[in-house]
Amino acid sequence: MRIVIAGGHGQIALRLERLLAARGDEVAGIIRSPEQRDDLREAGAEPVLLDLESASVEEVAASLRGADAAVFAAGAGPGSGVARKDTVDRGAAVLFADAAVRAGVRRHVVVSSMGADPQHEGDEVFDVYQRAKGEADAYVSGLDDLDWTILRPGLLTNDTGTGLVRLEANTGRGAIPRDDVAAVLAELLDTPATAGLTLELIGGSTPLSVAVKSVAGN
C-alpha cells in the first residue's frame, strides 16, 4: 500500500512510518519543516513539505493522489495555545479529510484523543483541544466518501510497547505506549472492516492483532 501520514514527524507517526516501511509499504509523511526531512527518510518515509495551516485543499489533495490510505496524526502539540488547537487539531484535520475526498482516497484513519467531544465545555487550553478534536472527529465521520476509523488513545507514554491492549468503543481511562498506538494503526490500515468505528485504546491483556479483529467482527 501507499500511505500518506499528516503530521509525519510526530512521535506516533515516526513509529508508524518505521512499521509500515519495514513491512514493505510505501509511506509518505507530510511535514512543515525542512529540518525534519532526514528523520523521515531514516524512518523509511518520503518527506512531503507542506504546511497544513496554510495549504489549499488542492495542494493537500495533490500529495494524496495515488495513495491507498491516509492517516491524520498531526497535532499542535502540548506547548501550543488556543489558536493552534483550532487551526491544527480541528482545521488541519478537516482540510486533510476534504483533500482525501478530492483525491479519491477512501481509507482514512484519524488519531484523535480520549475525551474528544464537540460539546466539551471550558476555556482552558486542554478544554479547547478536546473540543477541537471532537469537532474534527464529527466532521470526518460525517463524510460519506471516506471509509474512516477514529482512534482515541488514552494517556500516551514512551514505555516500550507490550503488544497487549484494550480496544473498544469505550475503555475507560488508562495509559498506552506510543509503540502500541502505532502498531494498532498499522493493523487498522489492514482491516477495512473497522471503517465507521470510533475506538478507544489503552493498555490491556489482548494481543493487538486479536483486538483489532475483534472490533472488526472477525
Side-chain angles (χ1 to χ4, degrees), residues 52-214:
L52 294 176
E53 288 181 271
S54 60
S56 68
V57 172
E58 186 50 48
E59 286 172 326
V60 182
S63 73
L64 283 161
R65 287 197 174 90
D68 299 291
V71 178
F72 184 82
S80 59
V82 167
R84 295 198 69 229
K85 302 305 182 191
D86 182 67
T87 57
V88 179
D89 294 295
R90 184 201 60 79
V94 167
L95 173 69
F96 193 60
D98 285 342
V101 171
R102 183 169 296 194
V105 181
R106 290 201 62 96
R107 189 69 178 114
H108 197 87
V109 178
V110 175
V111 183
S112 183
S113 172
M114 188 172 290
D117 181 354
Q119 304 303 320
H120 186 93
E121 297 182 354
D123 299 317
E124 297 298 321
V125 173
F126 188 69
D127 297 321
V128 175
Y129 169 74
Q130 292 289 62
R131 194 158 55 243
K133 295 296 280 187
E135 289 170 353
D137 292 353
Y139 185 85
V140 171
S141 63
L143 294 175
D144 293 336
D145 290 326
L146 294 183
D147 296 328
W148 54 267
T149 303
I150 294 169
L151 183 67
R152 293 176 170 171
L155 178 66
L156 298 169
T157 76
N158 287 326
D159 296 339
T160 301
T162 67
L164 299 173
V165 302
R166 183 176 178 189
L167 179 69
E168 300 169 14
N170 296 285
T171 62
R173 297 284 175 175
I176 182 77
R178 288 179 173 87
D179 286 352
D180 289 332
V181 177
V184 167
L185 289 169
E187 289 282 340
L188 290 173
L189 287 167
D190 277 347
T191 314
T194 57
L197 299 178
T198 298
L199 301 165
E200 294 183 350
L201 175 67
I202 60 175
S205 58
T206 304
L208 60 88
S209 59
V210 175
V212 172
K213 288 182 175 65
S214 178

